[in-house]
């Protein structure tokens, strides 16, 4: 492989690509080039952020390039699995935006491809990997500050931004459904805070309140070991919220509790990454925005050393599998 | 009936009796006397708060007294229904601490008794009726500030205070189970904020993590009309929280959201009754501790004028029925 790790981007259809790219650059990677179909609404923002990287004429120019190590994709969700498989077959590791996979068939193909190629298929569950408050919460849990985790409540409201959304955003076959999409973060997060390897989907629900076939409200109930996890997702962030969503995580342990106000403390203190710890000794809010985002450097390490420190490969598949299970249950 | 309304108390086993009594006195009632079995741990606190009221030797001295209009009971939960029925048969109205009823048989008897006597059987769902933030939230919802309610999340952690709890607190047959007990508040609250007459219990769960047969963790998922409601209950309030529980209510509407930090804003601003409204125009936290508690004066009005302004009688039964349904589902 090259040194530094060289990145090619295939698909910038979701703006998540901005931070995915920047975090990998911050981890010492180099952006060799990028490809995207047509002129997505994210194009200007991408070029503004990464003006020096060349746009190439075809995905193959990156996927087949011998001097590229890692393919990033934030293509239309339904295209991500095929892009990932092609890239791994060409010897590349992959970091996909979430959701990385929308169907059982694609998930099976991804598993087979990883097994056969030995490549890394990572998914950027950004509501954990790009949130310093989550880094801090996991440190506090690991330090025993709240005892054994017995319950979580994750609230994931999102701003709809209807006027600026592309066609694929509204299309169930291309967006994957609310639970497979923005629910996948929450499943990842539940496993991370409980320390469990997998979970059972106890309940899954999706509704289209705006009545255009777009799932704008969803719920999941999970169980893993002793712990229960509830997840509420929606596309109802009100306009006056100064951020895209009031993402929260409540963690109840046998000895204490955590609350994360990840992106905003509405009507409260400025900034992001508010972590509230209450246990036998303390009741305090701390600002955790400097707690770091270890995932991206760990992924670079894994690419270089063929390790699984960022997120075990099987865990990535488990999260995707559970997200698909939830989506299927909600629609059956 | 008398003027002012005269109260007799039968059972002070739960400290809820302190505020139930005080709120009815504040509504213009007079405490004629009280009875309780033995020497509950609440006794000293009660006498300290209401030193002038006479303790009587038998419940019948109050239930059968012609100059008493209203019986309050915070007896051991499993005794409340029978006390209520005896009181109504004797021509009294009743305000019971929650849970007011623990079994289907008792609920049926209460319904029959109300139908036959025309008496009022009220239950003090204190997490609404004694919380000014709830008064304010219902005003904001009624004013259309968040549009149509499509989802609620209610978090009801409670402090265990194991050392000071009486025997009945630990006994499923006398406490009713976590969902019938502290879940009943949440069901009441869900119906209040959605404006629905009833709901379906979609999921109910109870667990005994401390493994002594005491249910210390529970969940309910409700549906009514378009709205879903999730409820999480537990007895895991950490010692350092400066209050008995970090009760929250999140309400998602089609045009905005509400969050209530009912009893404490942990690590944040002092005081109680924090109401956070976010909609198309505003994102603000307000202190609602002066929003009032209309239930108690409304109940006094109902007693005097035979109306149903505090809470329709059928609604009381519906809430109790749903709480029993949830408890049954969780244990089946």
């Amino acid at each position: 492989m090259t040194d530094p790790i060289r990145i090619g981007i295939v698909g910038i259809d979701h703006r998540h690509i901005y931070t995915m790219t920047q975090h990998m650059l911050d981890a010492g990677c180099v952006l060799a080039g990028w490809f995207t179909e047509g002129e997505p609404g994210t194009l200007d923002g991408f070029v503004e952020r990464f003006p020096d990287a060349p746009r190439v004429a075809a995905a193959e120019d990156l996927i087949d390039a011998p001097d590229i190590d890692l393919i990033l994709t934030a293509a239309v969700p339904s295209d991500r699995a095929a892009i990932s498989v092609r890239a791994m077959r060409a010897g590349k590791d992959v970091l996909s935006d979430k959701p990385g996979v929308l169907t059982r068939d694609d998930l099976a193909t991804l598993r087979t491809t990883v097994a056969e190629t030995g490549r890394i298929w990572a998914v950027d569950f950004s509501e954990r990997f790009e949130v310093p408050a989550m880094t801090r919460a996991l440190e506090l849990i690991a330090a025993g500050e709240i005892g054994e985790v017995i319950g979580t409540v994750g609230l994931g409201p999102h701003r709809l931004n209807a006027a600026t959304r592309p066609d694929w955003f509204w299309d169930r076959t291309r967006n994957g459904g609310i639970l497979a999409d923005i629910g996948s973060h929450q499943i990842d997060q539940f496993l991370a805070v409980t320390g469990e390897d997998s979970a059972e989907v106890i309940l899954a629900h999706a509704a289209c309140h705006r009545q255009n076939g777009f799932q704008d409200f969803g719920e999941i109930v999970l169980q893993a070991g002793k712990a229960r996890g509830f997840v509420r997702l929606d596309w109802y962030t009100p306009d006056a919220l100064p951020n895209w969503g009031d993402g929260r995580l409540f963690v109840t342990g046998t000895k204490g509790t955590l609350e994360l106000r990840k992106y905003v403390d509405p009507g409260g203190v400025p900034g992001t990454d508010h972590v509230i710890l209450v246990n036998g000794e303390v009741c305090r809010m701390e600002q955790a925005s400097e707690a770091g985002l270890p995932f991206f450097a760990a992924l670079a390490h894994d690419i270089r050393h063929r390790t699984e420190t960022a997120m075990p490969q099987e865990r990535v598949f488990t999260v995707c599998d559970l997200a698909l299970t939830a989506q299927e249950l909600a629609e059956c």
Side-chain angles (χ1 to χ4, degrees), chain A:
Chain A
M1 65 172 299
T2 66
D3 194 351
I5 293 166
R6 287 170 60 84
I7 298 174
I9 296 172
V10 178
I12 64 164
D13 296 85
H14 197 291
R15 50 184 290 129
H16 286 154
I17 196 65
Y18 303 160
T19 50
M20 289 168 63
T21 304
Q22 189 58 54
H23 289 308
M24 290 312 299
L25 298 184
D26 292 345
C29 302
V30 168
L31 179 54
W34 56 280
F35 167 78
T36 207
E37 299 273 2
E39 306 259 323
T42 52
L43 189 60
D44 291 348
F46 185 85
V47 171
E48 187 181 328
R49 285 168 177 80
F50 308 104
D52 300 330
R55 180 175 185 172
V56 302
E60 288 68 26
D61 295 344
L62 301 166
I63 288 175
D64 296 331
D67 66 342
I68 285 181
D69 307 291
L70 173 65
I71 295 293
L72 264 51
T73 181
V76 173
S78 52
D79 295 338
R80 291 173 191 167
I83 291 166
S84 297
V85 167
R86 281 164 54 204
M88 288 191 281
R89 292 278 172 212
K92 308 298 189 262
D93 295 318
V94 173
L95 174 61
S96 173
D97 185 19
K98 71 78 231 169
V101 56
L102 308 191
T103 70
R104 291 260 162 231
D105 282 353
D106 279 352
L107 181 58
T109 306
L110 284 161
R111 280 187 178 274
T112 304
T113 305
V114 166
E116 291 178 1
T117 64
R119 294 294 97 191
I120 296 167
W121 184 66
V123 176
D124 182 6
F125 296 109
S126 51
E127 293 189 37
R128 172 161 66 111
F129 297 144
E130 301 195 15
V131 176
M134 281 299 303
T135 306
R136 182 62 180 143
L138 292 168
E139 288 171 2
L140 291 166
I141 292 169
E145 291 286 351
I146 64 168
E148 184 183 5
V149 173
I150 55 172
T152 70
V153 172
L155 306 181
H158 285 60
R159 175 161 284 138
L160 189 62
N161 285 329
T164 65
R165 296 289 185 180
D167 287 349
W168 61 261
F169 179 85
W170 306 102
D171 180 348
R172 165 66 183 83
T173 63
R174 290 191 288 170
N175 67 35
I178 191 168
L179 306 186
D181 181 7
I182 58 179
S184 62
H185 290 294
Q186 300 274 346
I187 293 168
D188 164 66
Q189 184 170 272
F190 175 70
L191 295 180
V193 302
T194 58
E196 298 285 344
D197 290 330
S198 188
E200 183 183 356
V201 179
I202 302 290
L203 172 150
H205 170 77
C208 306
H209 289 307
R210 292 186 181 85
Q211 295 176 317
N212 58 2
F214 176 73
Q215 296 171 359
D216 57 11
F217 187 96
E219 292 169 343
I220 308 173
V221 175
L222 299 164
Q223 173 132 20
K226 280 185 177 181
R228 299 280 285 199
F230 172 75
V231 170
R232 238 285 298 285
L233 308 156
D234 68 69
W235 289 95
Y236 281 94
T237 290
D239 286 349
L241 193 84
N243 206 324
W244 60 267
D246 183 4
R248 302 280 183 105
L249 177 64
F250 294 85
V251 188
T252 300
T254 51
K255 294 179 179 172
T257 60
L258 288 171
E259 177 185 354
L260 280 63
R261 299 179 192 159
K262 292 178 165 187
Y263 316 115
V264 62
D265 180 27
V269 297
T272 63
D273 297 285
H274 313 283
V275 176
I276 300 165
L277 169 66
V278 188
N279 60 24
E281 290 76 40
V282 303
C283 174
R284 69 163 189 244
M285 175 191 275
E286 65 177 280
Q287 308 303 123
S289 52
E290 302 303 318
L293 300 174
F295 173 81
F296 300 96
L299 180 61
H301 180 280
D302 291 343
I303 291 168
R304 208 177 291 282
H305 302 287
R306 314 315 300 167
T307 48
E308 298 189 54
T309 63
M311 184 173 186
Q313 184 64 64
E314 185 56 31
R315 172 65 65 87
V316 181
F317 288 132
T318 298
V319 171
C320 294
D321 189 317
L322 289 169
L324 294 182
T325 298
Q327 191 65 46
E328 289 159 4
L329 268 174
E331 292 176 345
C332 74

